[in-house]
Amino acid sequence: MRATHPLLEARELTVRFGGLTAVDAVSAAFGAGELVGIIGPNGAGKTTFFNALSGVTPVSAGELFAQGQRLTGAGAHRFARHGIARTFQTPRVFAELSVAANVDFGLQFAGRRAGAAQERPRWLVDEAAILDLIGLARLKDLPAAAVTPSQQRLLEIGMALATRPRVLLLDEVAAGLTESEVEAMAQLIRRLREELDLTVIWIEHAVTTLLRHVERVLVLHQGRKIADGTPEEVVRNAEVIEAYLGDEMVEPVA
Ligand SMILES: Nc1ncnc2c1ncn2[C@@H]1O[C@H](COP(=O)(O)OP(=O)(O)OP(=O)(O)O)[C@@H](O)[C@H]1O
Ligand SMILES: [Mg+2]
């Protein structure tokens, strides 16, 4: 029965800050194993959408469901219990703790969740496996503050993975990376989806890279969802070109 429900679903989701409607009646459903990109101009509401999808920001109107269960109004811990994990646009790692201890924090968080552990791939309980996957095994004893910002982004992904999620929300994990680091990040994200059977929703401004790797993309503009389709469909959408791609696609296609 569970399998018939999307893993995560927003229905007419609206988030207002005073008079500003940051997310405006957005509906979207995310199924098992999907790799979905989210693009849109600065201030389009992408991060706010993630904040609502992970229970970090309260919803003003509309509904949220995880595997068919209504989570509207629930706190972030309940979303986590339903297997929703996310990274933040500004990485949030424990600077004084070692890289390994940061991963352990995620593992301990998952350990407290009865039931979740058995349903997820066993190897994800393993600190060494996670450090290998994110490529930080050699740096595991360094304080998180001592690794580069791009390595901190990888670490944040590792912390999220350690909670054994079903759905991983990535907010601009490739921002500020060099071209080769961006490509490595994209390859990592594909492995997460393929090897761990995760649903990944990925916000990124590096549109040409993103569109090469995802099979579906949502476009937000002024809080509204203006497109939801394959990369081929979205790049041909007149409203999307007008709102966003006209500027972004000027970057050379690699
Ligand atoms: N806590 C808040 N209080 C008031 N306004 C907010 C808050 N968070 C976001 N906003 C506003 O909501 C709108 C959407 O912001 P959001 O951060 O979701 O955009 P974004 O698409 O993630 O942009 P970017 O690409 O720059 O990260 C913006 O106008 C922003 O200023
Ligand atoms: Mg943002």
Side-chain angles (χ1 to χ4, degrees):
M1 236 182 74
R2 248 185 185 186
T4 61
H5 293 293
L7 286 182
L8 187 59
E9 183 179 6
R11 292 190 200 154
E12 299 280 310
L13 187 76
T14 296
V15 179
R16 291 187 203 99
F17 298 112
L20 174 84
T21 304
V23 176
D24 193 354
V26 172
S27 296
F30 304 97
E34 274 199 284
L35 172 51
V36 184
I38 300 185
I39 60 174
N42 291 114
K46 305 179 298 295
T47 296
T48 306
F49 184 53
F50 265 15
N51 289 343
L53 285 180
S54 55
V56 169
T57 293
V59 166
S60 308
E63 300 280 2
L64 283 168
F65 298 87
Q67 295 158 71
Q69 285 198 38
R70 185 175 174 275
L71 289 188
T72 318
H77 60 284
R78 283 214 34 226
F79 284 79
R81 219 181 301 143
H82 279 83
I84 319 290
R86 54 91 52 87
T87 66
F88 288 87
Q89 193 163 344
T90 308
R92 295 186 181 181
V93 297
F94 297 103
E96 315 79 41
L97 294 184
S98 70
V99 165
N102 271 276
V103 171
D104 288 344
F105 179 83
L107 290 170
Q108 281 160 27
F109 178 83
R112 287 201 298 272
R113 286 192 286 131
Q118 299 90 296
E119 297 170 24
R120 299 301 296 148
R122 284 268 291 282
W123 73 265
L124 269 179
V125 302
D126 182 344
E127 176 200 294
I130 292 172
L131 288 169
D132 263 349
L133 182 75
I134 59 175
L136 297 184
R138 277 183 313 115
L139 307 175
K140 70 184 174 70
D141 296 323
L142 288 179
V147 305
T148 66
S150 53
Q151 289 164 339
Q152 288 182 8
R153 288 193 184 279
L154 291 165
L155 178 55
E156 213 197 2
I157 293 174
M159 293 168 74
L161 289 177
T163 69
R164 277 167 246 148
R166 294 168 193 287
V167 181
L168 184 59
L169 311 177
L170 301 174
D171 195 353
E172 295 199 34
V173 286
L177 305 192
T178 65
E179 226 170 286
S180 64
E181 286 171 339
V182 171
E183 197 49 39
M185 181 66 82
Q187 294 302 335
L188 172 65
I189 290 167
R190 287 170 71 137
R191 283 186 66 195
L192 299 179
R193 190 271 290 272
E194 275 142 36
E195 295 174 23
L196 308 185
D197 200 24
L198 278 174
T199 298
V200 181
I201 314 174
W202 178 17
I203 294 173
E204 202 60 71
H205 277 288
V207 175
T208 45
T209 303
L210 188 83
L211 294 182
R212 265 207 315 274
H213 292 284
V214 301
E215 64 256 7
R216 174 183 165 201
V217 60
L218 268 60
V219 186
L220 296 184
H221 178 51
Q222 296 175 351
R224 287 189 310 114
K225 186 176 92 170
I226 60 168
D228 184 347
T230 65
E232 294 73 26
E233 288 164 351
V234 162
V235 295
R236 283 195 221 102
N237 179 309
E239 195 178 356
V240 174
I241 293 167
E242 169 77 26
Y244 187 50
L245 291 182
D247 296 333
E248 294 293 326
M249 298 297 269
V250 172
E251 63 180 284
V253 179

